Amino acid sequence: MAYTVPLTVLPSSIWRLPAAFKDGIGVGERAYIVSLSIMSEILAFTAIGLIARWGEVFPRWVPVLRGRRVPTKAAIVPAAVGATILTLIFTLLFTVSEIKGTTIRGDDLPDSYPSQASGWEAAWFYVCYAPLILWGPLLAVLTVACWKRRHAAEKAPAPA
């Protein structure tokens, strides 16, 4: 499941990139669009840390902390906060706003909004953005599973 999280974000990141190279877009907007796609993937990739060794013990390349155990709360709290925010934004607000035909703020969708297009453009938008609905819930399930696993390991008696 952890390896699925970056894949739920990837289609929207790829869909967004051509917009960065349209005519009339400034350098700042281009940088923002590309950075948003890259940062989204990096954040999604951190879900793998909830199951991977590098999420439990700091890697050797991390100065000062290398080889030390990652505190459970240092992994669980940001993951839980992220899962809550992502679930609210993408799973609830995005879904409700698409059903109602409004922006997240409640304004009418502009005619240029991708879901307002017809045919393949709208279909492609939904194919690329629908997986984002899963990001928050998947991260929530992973967070609970990680907490249970790490909590049980901390309570287990030390081997003799």
Side-chain angles (χ1 to χ4, degrees), residues 87-150:
T87 300
L88 285 172
I89 291 173
F90 293 121
T91 308
L92 296 176
L93 291 176
F94 179 74
T95 303
V96 169
S97 68
E98 282 299 312
I99 290 169
K100 288 176 62 179
T102 62
T103 65
I104 291 175
R105 290 180 279 165
D107 304 329
D108 289 334
L109 289 174
D111 292 335
S112 62
Y113 195 74
S115 67
Q116 298 299 97
S118 60
W120 288 106
E121 187 177 344
W124 185 240
F125 168 76
Y126 284 117
V127 165
C128 291
Y129 270 82
L132 282 178
I133 293 170
L134 300 173
W135 189 4
L138 286 173
L139 185 57
V141 170
L142 284 167
T143 302
V144 170
C146 179
W147 179 81
K148 285 182 175 182
R149 182 176 47 81
R150 302 255 328 244

Side-chain angles (χ1 to χ4, degrees), residues 5-82:
V5 173
L7 296 176
T8 63
V9 179
L10 187 59
S12 63
S13 294
I14 292 171
W15 182 87
R16 209 179 292 119
L17 289 176
F21 301 101
K22 285 184 177 177
D23 291 335
I25 299 223
V27 174
E29 286 178 283
R30 287 178 208 263
Y32 169 75
I33 293 169
V34 172
S35 298
L36 180 61
S37 292
I38 292 169
M39 288 307 298
S40 295
E41 282 303 317
I42 290 170
L43 286 173
F45 184 76
T46 62
I48 296 170
L50 294 171
I51 64 160
R53 173 111 173 108
W54 56 264
E56 293 184 15
V57 177
F58 286 103
R60 282 186 250 172
W61 56 265
V62 177
V64 181
L65 298 174
R66 72 185 86 206
R68 293 185 183 175
R69 187 164 176 76
V70 174
T72 302
K73 286 183 181 179
I76 298 303
V77 171
V81 169

